[in-house]
Amino acid sequence: MATKIRPLQDRIIVKRVQEEEKTKGGIIIPDTAKEKPIEGKVIAVGNGKVQEDGKVRPLDVKAGDRVLFSKYAGTEVKIDGEEHLIMREEDILGVIEG
């Protein structure tokens, strides 16, 4: 049975993109030397941020977007055995176009 999670307000669920196992020169990078990637794919988004006047501002990102986020952003969670991050929209640095 697949777990369904809907993020609340301005939160986003992101799955990290796997980092390359080798450098461009062909050197294999061991797991202990790898840093966690700061790029991911948006899996789900909340309805938007509730502003002071009570109106909801929709998010700028949508499911399927590839994004860059800050290094220590979000909370790691396991969904269906895979690691994901739940973060706020403000932790997203940019959307990768193309």
Side-chain angles (χ1 to χ4, degrees):
M1 182 171 111
T3 304
K4 299 288 183 196
I5 295 180
R6 180 178 51 92
L8 299 176
Q9 296 185 4
D10 66 333
R11 288 183 177 82
I12 300 165
I13 297 177
V14 175
K15 182 176 181 186
R16 289 184 196 265
V17 174
Q18 290 296 330
E19 210 171 56
E20 292 293 322
E21 300 290 322
K22 292 188 212 178
T23 65
K24 289 182 182 179
I27 299 171
I28 296 174
I29 304 168
D31 287 339
T32 54
K34 289 182 192 173
E35 288 190 21
K36 292 195 176 193
I38 59 168
E39 182 180 331
K41 181 179 178 184
V42 176
I43 303 301
V45 298
N47 293 331
K49 182 158 181 98
V50 178
Q51 299 179 326
E52 289 180 19
D53 61 3
K55 292 183 181 176
V56 177
R57 183 187 62 80
L59 302 181
D60 292 330
V61 296
K62 60 187 179 308
D65 283 349
R66 286 179 65 101
V67 295
L68 293 174
F69 47 87
S70 55
K71 192 171 191 173
Y72 300 104
T75 302
E76 292 185 357
V77 295
K78 279 200 175 190
I79 302 172
D80 296 331
E82 294 185 31
E83 285 195 16
H84 291 73
L85 289 169
I86 296 179
M87 64 182 70
R88 291 190 177 274
E89 182 184 38
E90 64 194 27
D91 292 330
I92 301 289
L93 303 174
V95 176
I96 299 171
E97 300 286 336

